[in-house]
Amino acid sequence: MSKNLKTYRVHGYEKTLKAPMFVYRERLKLIEELLEELLYFSMDGNIILVEGKRDLASLRKLGINGRIEFVTHHPLIGVCEKIAATGKNIVILTDWDRRGVILEKKIAGHLENYGIRIEHRLRKRILSLVQKEIKDVESLYTHISILRQIADPEYHYNNTYDNILI
């Protein structure tokens, strides 16, 4: 291995970085700005839609404490009617696999028919920053923690709560 390649420790083993350190720091900066924007969005009373409990847990660990609703626990039409009745803006954070993309399009179609405004921009920005590394919302917390550890070696990743379901 070349001595010019940087390494970092995560989960008890060393990994070699695939890009220069500034790339990780810049990506982390962009993700944290996006998280702050998502936090303000949810603090304004708007709604974030996710697929499951692990997605919710990941967002909560990232500090997103606003209203988060599940879209897979009840019939989709009923969920959309309930959300449309609130009149709030929406961010749809389904996974970015094939099933999640199809679900996102169905939800968006239903809600837009009710005249609800959907923040597609936030979802697209999240995808553009993490899509190549992770495939779902539930991995977001772990991914950001690892990025923080790479960018700041003094940061200590704590995966104690990774398997907690709310």
Short mmCIF file of all heavy atoms in Angstrom, two decimals, residues 38-86:
data_model
loop_
_atom_site.label_atom_id
_atom_site.label_comp_id
_atom_site.label_asym_id
_atom_site.label_seq_id
_atom_site.Cartn_x
_atom_site.Cartn_y
_atom_site.Cartn_z
N LEU A 38 -33.28 20.53 6.73
CA LEU A 38 -34.34 19.57 7.02
C LEU A 38 -34.90 19.78 8.43
O LEU A 38 -36.10 19.68 8.65
CB LEU A 38 -33.80 18.14 6.85
CG LEU A 38 -34.80 17.01 6.82
CD1 LEU A 38 -35.78 17.18 5.67
CD2 LEU A 38 -34.07 15.68 6.70
N LEU A 39 -34.02 20.09 9.37
CA LEU A 39 -34.44 20.37 10.74
C LEU A 39 -35.36 21.58 10.79
O LEU A 39 -36.43 21.54 11.39
CB LEU A 39 -33.22 20.59 11.64
CG LEU A 39 -33.52 21.02 13.08
CD1 LEU A 39 -34.25 19.91 13.82
CD2 LEU A 39 -32.23 21.37 13.78
N TYR A 40 -34.97 22.67 10.13
CA TYR A 40 -35.81 23.87 10.09
C TYR A 40 -37.13 23.59 9.39
O TYR A 40 -38.18 24.09 9.79
CB TYR A 40 -35.08 25.04 9.43
CG TYR A 40 -34.01 25.63 10.31
CD1 TYR A 40 -32.72 25.79 9.84
CD2 TYR A 40 -34.28 26.02 11.62
CE1 TYR A 40 -31.72 26.33 10.64
CE2 TYR A 40 -33.29 26.55 12.43
CZ TYR A 40 -32.02 26.70 11.94
OH TYR A 40 -31.04 27.23 12.74
N PHE A 41 -37.08 22.81 8.33
CA PHE A 41 -38.29 22.42 7.61
C PHE A 41 -39.26 21.73 8.55
O PHE A 41 -40.45 22.04 8.60
CB PHE A 41 -37.93 21.51 6.43
CG PHE A 41 -39.11 21.01 5.65
CD1 PHE A 41 -39.66 21.78 4.64
CD2 PHE A 41 -39.66 19.77 5.91
CE1 PHE A 41 -40.75 21.32 3.91
CE2 PHE A 41 -40.74 19.31 5.19
CZ PHE A 41 -41.29 20.09 4.19
N SER A 42 -38.75 20.78 9.33
CA SER A 42 -39.63 20.03 10.24
C SER A 42 -40.05 20.87 11.45
O SER A 42 -41.16 20.70 11.96
CB SER A 42 -38.95 18.74 10.70
OG SER A 42 -37.88 19.00 11.56
N MET A 43 -39.20 21.78 11.90
CA MET A 43 -39.55 22.64 13.03
C MET A 43 -40.67 23.61 12.67
O MET A 43 -41.39 24.08 13.56
CB MET A 43 -38.33 23.40 13.54
CG MET A 43 -37.36 22.53 14.31
SD MET A 43 -35.81 23.32 14.77
CE MET A 43 -36.30 24.90 15.36
N ASP A 44 -40.83 23.91 11.39
CA ASP A 44 -41.90 24.79 10.94
C ASP A 44 -43.25 24.09 10.90
O ASP A 44 -44.24 24.66 10.44
CB ASP A 44 -41.59 25.34 9.54
CG ASP A 44 -40.56 26.45 9.57
OD1 ASP A 44 -40.32 27.00 10.65
OD2 ASP A 44 -40.01 26.76 8.50
N GLY A 45 -43.28 22.83 11.35
CA GLY A 45 -44.53 22.09 11.38
C GLY A 45 -44.79 21.26 10.14
O GLY A 45 -45.84 20.62 10.02
N ASN A 46 -43.86 21.27 9.21
CA ASN A 46 -44.02 20.48 7.99
C ASN A 46 -43.76 19.01 8.30
O ASN A 46 -43.27 18.66 9.37
CB ASN A 46 -43.07 20.99 6.91
CG ASN A 46 -43.41 22.41 6.54
OD1 ASN A 46 -44.55 22.73 6.22
ND2 ASN A 46 -42.43 23.30 6.59
N ILE A 47 -44.07 18.14 7.36
CA ILE A 47 -44.05 16.69 7.61
C ILE A 47 -43.01 16.00 6.74
O ILE A 47 -42.87 16.29 5.56
CB ILE A 47 -45.44 16.09 7.33
CG1 ILE A 47 -46.50 16.79 8.18
CG2 ILE A 47 -45.44 14.58 7.60
CD1 ILE A 47 -47.92 16.45 7.81
N ILE A 48 -42.30 15.06 7.36
CA ILE A 48 -41.36 14.21 6.64
C ILE A 48 -41.98 12.82 6.57
O ILE A 48 -42.42 12.28 7.58
CB ILE A 48 -40.00 14.15 7.37
CG1 ILE A 48 -39.40 15.55 7.47
CG2 ILE A 48 -39.04 13.19 6.66
CD1 ILE A 48 -38.19 15.65 8.38
N LEU A 49 -42.02 12.25 5.38
CA LEU A 49 -42.59 10.92 5.19
C LEU A 49 -41.47 9.89 5.02
O LEU A 49 -40.57 10.10 4.21
CB LEU A 49 -43.50 10.89 3.96
CG LEU A 49 -44.68 11.86 3.98
CD1 LEU A 49 -45.47 11.74 2.69
CD2 LEU A 49 -45.56 11.61 5.18
N VAL A 50 -41.53 8.81 5.80
CA VAL A 50 -40.53 7.74 5.72
C VAL A 50 -41.25 6.39 5.60
O VAL A 50 -42.45 6.29 5.84
CB VAL A 50 -39.59 7.74 6.95
CG1 VAL A 50 -38.78 9.02 7.01
CG2 VAL A 50 -40.36 7.53 8.25
N GLU A 51 -40.47 5.36 5.29
CA GLU A 51 -41.05 4.04 5.12
C GLU A 51 -41.24 3.28 6.43
O GLU A 51 -42.22 2.58 6.59
CB GLU A 51 -40.18 3.20 4.17
CG GLU A 51 -40.25 3.67 2.74
CD GLU A 51 -39.45 2.79 1.81
OE1 GLU A 51 -39.62 1.55 1.86
OE2 GLU A 51 -38.64 3.33 1.05
N GLY A 52 -40.27 3.37 7.34
CA GLY A 52 -40.37 2.51 8.51
C GLY A 52 -39.73 3.07 9.77
O GLY A 52 -39.22 4.19 9.80
N LYS A 53 -39.77 2.24 10.82
CA LYS A 53 -39.29 2.63 12.14
C LYS A 53 -37.79 2.92 12.17
O LYS A 53 -37.35 3.81 12.89
CB LYS A 53 -39.61 1.53 13.15
CG LYS A 53 -41.09 1.36 13.41
CD LYS A 53 -41.35 0.22 14.38
CE LYS A 53 -42.84 0.04 14.59
NZ LYS A 53 -43.12 -1.07 15.50
N ARG A 54 -37.03 2.17 11.42
CA ARG A 54 -35.58 2.40 11.40
C ARG A 54 -35.23 3.72 10.73
O ARG A 54 -34.28 4.39 11.12
CB ARG A 54 -34.87 1.23 10.73
CG ARG A 54 -34.91 -0.01 11.58
CD ARG A 54 -34.05 -1.10 10.99
NE ARG A 54 -34.04 -2.24 11.89
CZ ARG A 54 -34.28 -3.48 11.51
NH1 ARG A 54 -34.54 -3.75 10.26
NH2 ARG A 54 -34.25 -4.46 12.40
N ASP A 55 -36.00 4.10 9.72
CA ASP A 55 -35.82 5.40 9.08
C ASP A 55 -36.09 6.51 10.09
O ASP A 55 -35.33 7.47 10.20
CB ASP A 55 -36.75 5.56 7.87
CG ASP A 55 -36.49 4.53 6.78
OD1 ASP A 55 -35.36 4.02 6.71
OD2 ASP A 55 -37.42 4.25 6.01
N LEU A 56 -37.16 6.36 10.83
CA LEU A 56 -37.52 7.32 11.87
C LEU A 56 -36.41 7.40 12.91
O LEU A 56 -35.98 8.50 13.29
CB LEU A 56 -38.83 6.92 12.54
CG LEU A 56 -39.23 7.71 13.77
CD1 LEU A 56 -39.66 9.12 13.39
CD2 LEU A 56 -40.35 7.01 14.52
N ALA A 57 -35.92 6.25 13.37
CA ALA A 57 -34.86 6.23 14.39
C ALA A 57 -33.60 6.93 13.89
O ALA A 57 -32.97 7.69 14.64
CB ALA A 57 -34.54 4.79 14.78
N SER A 58 -33.23 6.72 12.64
CA SER A 58 -32.05 7.35 12.07
C SER A 58 -32.19 8.87 12.05
O SER A 58 -31.27 9.60 12.44
CB SER A 58 -31.82 6.83 10.65
OG SER A 58 -30.70 7.42 10.06
N LEU A 59 -33.35 9.36 11.62
CA LEU A 59 -33.58 10.80 11.58
C LEU A 59 -33.61 11.40 12.98
O LEU A 59 -33.08 12.50 13.21
CB LEU A 59 -34.88 11.12 10.83
CG LEU A 59 -34.87 10.83 9.33
CD1 LEU A 59 -36.24 11.06 8.72
CD2 LEU A 59 -33.81 11.65 8.62
N ARG A 60 -34.19 10.69 13.92
CA ARG A 60 -34.21 11.18 15.31
C ARG A 60 -32.79 11.29 15.87
O ARG A 60 -32.46 12.26 16.55
CB ARG A 60 -35.05 10.27 16.20
CG ARG A 60 -36.53 10.27 15.88
CD ARG A 60 -37.20 11.55 16.32
NE ARG A 60 -38.64 11.44 16.18
CZ ARG A 60 -39.40 12.32 15.57
NH1 ARG A 60 -38.87 13.39 15.03
NH2 ARG A 60 -40.69 12.15 15.48
N LYS A 61 -31.96 10.29 15.60
CA LYS A 61 -30.57 10.33 16.08
C LYS A 61 -29.79 11.47 15.44
O LYS A 61 -28.82 11.95 16.01
CB LYS A 61 -29.87 8.99 15.82
CG LYS A 61 -30.37 7.90 16.75
CD LYS A 61 -29.53 6.64 16.66
CE LYS A 61 -29.84 5.84 15.44
NZ LYS A 61 -29.15 4.54 15.40
N LEU A 62 -30.22 11.89 14.27
CA LEU A 62 -29.58 13.03 13.59
C LEU A 62 -30.14 14.36 14.07
O LEU A 62 -29.72 15.41 13.61
CB LEU A 62 -29.74 12.90 12.07
CG LEU A 62 -28.90 11.81 11.44
CD1 LEU A 62 -29.33 11.56 10.00
CD2 LEU A 62 -27.42 12.15 11.51
N GLY A 63 -31.10 14.33 15.00
CA GLY A 63 -31.63 15.55 15.58
C GLY A 63 -32.88 16.10 14.92
O GLY A 63 -33.32 17.19 15.25
N ILE A 64 -33.46 15.36 13.99
CA ILE A 64 -34.69 15.79 13.33
C ILE A 64 -35.86 15.39 14.24
O ILE A 64 -36.24 14.23 14.30
CB ILE A 64 -34.85 15.15 11.93
CG1 ILE A 64 -33.60 15.31 11.10
CG2 ILE A 64 -36.09 15.70 11.24
CD1 ILE A 64 -33.19 16.71 10.80
N ASN A 65 -36.40 16.36 14.95
CA ASN A 65 -37.41 16.06 15.96
C ASN A 65 -38.82 16.49 15.57
O ASN A 65 -39.73 16.41 16.39
CB ASN A 65 -37.04 16.73 17.29
CG ASN A 65 -35.78 16.12 17.86
OD1 ASN A 65 -35.60 14.92 17.83
ND2 ASN A 65 -34.90 16.96 18.36
N GLY A 66 -39.00 16.92 14.35
CA GLY A 66 -40.32 17.35 13.91
C GLY A 66 -41.23 16.18 13.62
O GLY A 66 -40.96 15.04 14.00
N ARG A 67 -42.31 16.46 12.92
CA ARG A 67 -43.31 15.43 12.62
C ARG A 67 -42.83 14.54 11.49
O ARG A 67 -42.53 15.00 10.38
CB ARG A 67 -44.62 16.10 12.24
CG ARG A 67 -45.75 15.13 12.04
CD ARG A 67 -47.06 15.84 11.92
NE ARG A 67 -48.10 14.88 11.57
CZ ARG A 67 -49.32 15.24 11.22
NH1 ARG A 67 -49.64 16.52 11.18
NH2 ARG A 67 -50.21 14.33 10.91
N ILE A 68 -42.76 13.24 11.80
CA ILE A 68 -42.36 12.24 10.81
C ILE A 68 -43.46 11.19 10.77
O ILE A 68 -43.87 10.66 11.80
CB ILE A 68 -41.00 11.59 11.19
CG1 ILE A 68 -39.90 12.67 11.25
CG2 ILE A 68 -40.64 10.50 10.19
CD1 ILE A 68 -38.56 12.16 11.74
N GLU A 69 -43.95 10.90 9.58
CA GLU A 69 -45.05 9.95 9.40
C GLU A 69 -44.58 8.76 8.57
O GLU A 69 -43.75 8.89 7.68
CB GLU A 69 -46.22 10.63 8.67
CG GLU A 69 -46.86 11.77 9.41
CD GLU A 69 -47.81 11.31 10.50
OE1 GLU A 69 -48.33 10.17 10.41
OE2 GLU A 69 -48.02 12.09 11.44
N PHE A 70 -45.18 7.60 8.86
CA PHE A 70 -44.92 6.39 8.08
C PHE A 70 -45.87 6.32 6.89
O PHE A 70 -47.05 6.66 7.03
CB PHE A 70 -45.11 5.14 8.93
CG PHE A 70 -44.22 5.07 10.13
CD1 PHE A 70 -44.75 5.03 11.40
CD2 PHE A 70 -42.85 5.05 9.99
CE1 PHE A 70 -43.94 4.95 12.51
CE2 PHE A 70 -42.02 4.98 11.08
CZ PHE A 70 -42.56 4.93 12.36
N VAL A 71 -45.38 5.83 5.78
CA VAL A 71 -46.24 5.68 4.60
C VAL A 71 -46.50 4.22 4.25
O VAL A 71 -47.25 3.94 3.33
CB VAL A 71 -45.65 6.41 3.36
CG1 VAL A 71 -45.65 7.90 3.57
CG2 VAL A 71 -44.27 5.89 3.03
N THR A 72 -45.92 3.29 5.00
CA THR A 72 -46.07 1.88 4.65
C THR A 72 -46.90 1.10 5.66
O THR A 72 -47.10 -0.08 5.47
CB THR A 72 -44.69 1.22 4.52
OG1 THR A 72 -43.97 1.41 5.74
CG2 THR A 72 -43.92 1.77 3.36
N HIS A 73 -47.37 1.73 6.71
CA HIS A 73 -48.10 1.00 7.75
C HIS A 73 -49.62 0.99 7.54
O HIS A 73 -50.33 0.26 8.20
CB HIS A 73 -47.78 1.58 9.12
CG HIS A 73 -46.38 1.29 9.56
ND1 HIS A 73 -45.28 1.64 8.82
CD2 HIS A 73 -45.91 0.67 10.66
CE1 HIS A 73 -44.19 1.26 9.45
NE2 HIS A 73 -44.54 0.67 10.57
N HIS A 74 -50.10 1.81 6.63
CA HIS A 74 -51.54 1.92 6.36
C HIS A 74 -51.73 2.06 4.85
O HIS A 74 -50.78 2.35 4.12
CB HIS A 74 -52.13 3.14 7.07
CG HIS A 74 -51.93 3.11 8.56
ND1 HIS A 74 -52.64 2.28 9.39
CD2 HIS A 74 -51.08 3.80 9.36
CE1 HIS A 74 -52.24 2.45 10.64
NE2 HIS A 74 -51.29 3.37 10.65
N PRO A 75 -52.95 1.89 4.37
CA PRO A 75 -53.19 2.08 2.93
C PRO A 75 -52.76 3.47 2.47
O PRO A 75 -52.98 4.46 3.16
CB PRO A 75 -54.71 1.91 2.81
CG PRO A 75 -55.10 1.08 3.99
CD PRO A 75 -54.15 1.46 5.08
N LEU A 76 -52.13 3.51 1.32
CA LEU A 76 -51.53 4.74 0.81
C LEU A 76 -52.55 5.87 0.63
O LEU A 76 -52.26 7.02 0.98
CB LEU A 76 -50.82 4.45 -0.52
CG LEU A 76 -49.83 5.47 -1.00
CD1 LEU A 76 -48.77 5.75 0.06
CD2 LEU A 76 -49.18 5.02 -2.28
N ILE A 77 -53.71 5.55 0.15
CA ILE A 77 -54.75 6.59 -0.06
C ILE A 77 -55.13 7.20 1.28
O ILE A 77 -55.25 8.43 1.40
CB ILE A 77 -55.99 5.99 -0.76
CG1 ILE A 77 -55.63 5.50 -2.16
CG2 ILE A 77 -57.11 7.01 -0.83
CD1 ILE A 77 -55.21 6.57 -3.13
N GLY A 78 -55.30 6.38 2.30
CA GLY A 78 -55.66 6.88 3.62
C GLY A 78 -54.58 7.77 4.21
O GLY A 78 -54.87 8.82 4.79
N VAL A 79 -53.33 7.36 4.04
CA VAL A 79 -52.20 8.16 4.53
C VAL A 79 -52.17 9.51 3.82
O VAL A 79 -52.02 10.56 4.46
CB VAL A 79 -50.86 7.41 4.33
CG1 VAL A 79 -49.68 8.30 4.60
CG2 VAL A 79 -50.80 6.17 5.21
N CYS A 80 -52.35 9.49 2.52
CA CYS A 80 -52.32 10.73 1.73
C CYS A 80 -53.47 11.66 2.11
O CYS A 80 -53.28 12.87 2.20
CB CYS A 80 -52.32 10.42 0.24
SG CYS A 80 -50.79 9.66 -0.32
N GLU A 81 -54.66 11.11 2.33
CA GLU A 81 -55.80 11.94 2.73
C GLU A 81 -55.54 12.59 4.09
O GLU A 81 -55.83 13.77 4.29
CB GLU A 81 -57.07 11.10 2.79
CG GLU A 81 -57.62 10.74 1.43
CD GLU A 81 -58.83 9.82 1.49
OE1 GLU A 81 -59.18 9.34 2.60
OE2 GLU A 81 -59.41 9.57 0.43
N LYS A 82 -55.00 11.81 5.02
CA LYS A 82 -54.71 12.32 6.36
C LYS A 82 -53.67 13.45 6.29
O LYS A 82 -53.83 14.49 6.93
CB LYS A 82 -54.18 11.17 7.22
CG LYS A 82 -53.74 11.55 8.60
CD LYS A 82 -53.19 10.34 9.33
CE LYS A 82 -52.28 10.76 10.45
NZ LYS A 82 -51.57 9.64 11.04
N ILE A 83 -52.65 13.26 5.49
CA ILE A 83 -51.60 14.27 5.36
C ILE A 83 -52.13 15.50 4.62
O ILE A 83 -51.83 16.64 4.99
CB ILE A 83 -50.37 13.67 4.67
CG1 ILE A 83 -49.71 12.67 5.61
CG2 ILE A 83 -49.39 14.74 4.25
CD1 ILE A 83 -48.69 11.79 4.99
N ALA A 84 -52.93 15.28 3.60
CA ALA A 84 -53.50 16.40 2.84
C ALA A 84 -54.38 17.27 3.73
O ALA A 84 -54.43 18.49 3.55
CB ALA A 84 -54.28 15.88 1.65
N ALA A 85 -55.05 16.66 4.69
CA ALA A 85 -55.92 17.41 5.59
C ALA A 85 -55.14 18.40 6.46
O ALA A 85 -55.70 19.39 6.91
CB ALA A 85 -56.71 16.45 6.48
N THR A 86 -53.84 18.15 6.67
CA THR A 86 -53.03 19.06 7.48
C THR A 86 -52.68 20.33 6.72
O THR A 86 -52.47 21.37 7.33
CB THR A 86 -51.71 18.39 7.93
OG1 THR A 86 -50.88 18.15 6.78
CG2 THR A 86 -51.96 17.10 8.69
#
